[in-house]
Amino acid sequence: VTVAQVDAQGRLRHFLTLEGLPRTVLVRLLDLAQNFDDRRGDLSLRSTLAGKTVCTLFFEPSTRTRSSFQIAAQQLGADVLNFDASTSSTSKGETARDTMKNLEAMGVHGFVVRHREDGAVAALAGEARPGTALVNAGDGRIAHPTQGLLDMLTLRQAKGSDFSQLKVAIVGDVKHSRVARTDLHALRTLGAGEIRVCGPKSLLPDDATTLAGCTVTEDFDAALEGVDAVMMLRLQRERMEEGLVGSLADYHGAYGLTARRLQRAAPDAVVLHPGPMNRGVEIDDDVADGPQSLILRQVANGVAARMAVLEVLLGA
Ligand code: CP
């Protein structure tokens, strides 16, 4: 990170990563997100960010993150500018930095940025003027902090706020997943009892730091045994072209979450997936749409979590 996201007084200036974010700040954001979830439809919230302008600046595709940031900002009364990179002057070669600086000059107060390059959002935050806030909506393989926040909110609602006895399995393409890295930081910060990381060797991270404190296995059945929560990851299909996994059928056979396999987890285990899902590959329909799935609750919590971040960064 090239710029501090928390200032000397402990205030959040940008929201770039959950790595190193103090537990007090993370818990405060979760409490605030829960409050926004409880106050769904409360029109009095619309004065919270009145007069502020939020720009969603996405250089990669998105359905959930971008739309929920737009809804979150609107519910807090902010004006929202949805920047479409494909029809912008970035197609003429304008840099992300110049794009941001121009929009900042127009009066944008907060940028929600997604970029394919590791560290790109932190670098842009370093270029912003004081008072302009940046939110990382996903950069490269590194971080997707609001996804981590909504995932922790979803787990907290299902299992309570004491994670000390919680057993969680994170399964699939961990190596290339910014969601996995982010959730690992959050689970460690919140003191999760046991974190299991599972996937084929070719899709597991090779650095010890990412996997610190985790039990690592290639055996999905073993990883599922008795867990309270299963966090499935999207198989990034381009990895097949790179030869990192075999056929889709082979992958499903070894790492697809089926209803039968889910029986190995605790009877009240919950299933999460950040989306978009490859149905029939990493997760079966009857699990994704079944009674243990919290996948649409995650999506709903995305609005509340993003309201919390915007309120903390841009509120009075
Ligand atoms: N989970 C997630 O980031 O989804 P989108 O890519 O659709 O935003």
Side-chain angles (χ1 to χ4, degrees):
V1 175
T2 52
V3 64
Q5 62 179 350
V6 179
D7 71 13
Q9 285 72 44
R11 283 186 303 248
L12 205 60
R13 307 303 303 267
H14 304 285
F15 193 56
L16 303 173
T17 177
L18 297 188
E19 183 177 7
L21 191 75
R23 183 187 165 103
T24 48
V25 178
L26 180 55
V27 170
R28 180 167 153 247
L29 283 167
L30 288 168
D31 290 344
L32 196 53
Q34 184 59 57
N35 182 50
F36 283 128
D37 191 42
D38 295 340
R39 293 177 66 187
R40 231 163 247 276
D42 181 346
L43 294 181
S44 70
L45 293 172
R46 294 200 182 237
S47 58
T48 312
L49 296 185
K52 300 285 183 178
T53 301
V54 173
C55 175
T56 59
L57 189 56
F58 278 53
F59 298 96
E60 270 192 339
S62 166
T63 295
R64 282 147 289 272
T65 312
R66 183 179 187 139
S67 304
S68 58
F69 262 114
Q70 181 177 356
I71 292 169
Q74 286 169 336
Q75 292 198 356
L76 294 173
D79 294 321
V80 183
L81 175 64
N82 281 314
F83 173 85
D84 181 358
S86 66
T87 57
S88 76
S89 288
T90 58
S91 59
K92 301 177 208 163
E94 190 165 33
T95 63
R97 178 198 177 277
D98 282 343
T99 304
M100 181 196 75
K101 294 305 288 180
N102 278 265
L103 293 165
E104 188 181 47
M106 293 176 206
V108 171
H109 302 97
F111 290 94
V112 177
V113 187
R114 173 170 287 188
H115 202 285
R116 77 191 69 80
E117 285 173 25
D118 294 353
V121 185
L124 285 175
E127 301 282 349
R129 46 187 194 210
T132 300
L134 268 80
V135 181
N136 186 353
D139 66 324
R141 302 178 184 187
I142 296 292
H144 193 351
T146 58
Q147 180 72 44
L149 197 58
L150 75 88
D151 286 346
M152 296 308 114
L153 180 63
T154 306
L155 280 180
R156 226 170 69 147
Q157 289 172 346
K159 299 291 173 188
S161 54
D162 178 3
F163 282 16
S164 64
Q165 303 301 314
L166 201 66
K167 294 184 192 144
V168 182
I170 298 181
V171 182
D173 183 0
V174 184
K175 185 173 189 167
H176 303 99
S177 174
R178 55 196 176 206
V179 175
R181 278 183 180 71
T182 302
D183 283 340
L184 286 170
H185 289 308
L187 288 166
R188 282 190 286 251
T189 300
L190 296 173
E194 188 179 345
I195 309 170
R196 301 178 192 170
V197 171
C198 175
K201 192 170 171 41
S202 60
L203 297 182
L204 288 174
D206 35 31
D207 62 299
T209 319
T210 300
L211 298 172
C214 303
T215 306
V216 182
T217 178
E218 291 180 60
D219 182 340
F220 190 15
D221 290 336
L224 281 174
E225 209 62 56
V227 289
D228 303 299
V230 192
M231 306 178 88
M232 299 302 297
L233 300 171
R234 180 172 72 89
L235 176 66
Q236 302 186 21
R237 295 212 189 193
E238 57 275 26
R239 308 301 164 209
M240 301 192 67
E241 283 154 30
E242 292 171 10
L244 292 179
V245 288
S247 69
L248 289 179
D250 287 347
Y251 188 84
H252 178 263
Y255 297 104
L257 186 58
T258 62
R260 186 182 169 87
R261 219 171 215 152
L262 184 56
Q263 288 175 0
R264 291 180 177 272
D268 60 350
V270 293
V271 176
L272 288 82
H273 190 302
M277 288 182 278
N278 296 303
R279 288 172 176 267
V281 181
E282 71 262 7
I283 190 164
D284 278 7
D285 287 341
D286 52 356
V287 177
D289 304 325
Q292 289 167 271
S293 170
L294 296 180
I295 294 169
L296 289 179
R297 173 103 295 262
Q298 285 173 273
V299 176
N301 281 339
V303 176
R306 286 155 182 148
M307 287 172 80
V309 170
L310 292 174
E311 205 269 338
V312 166
L313 291 176
L314 299 174

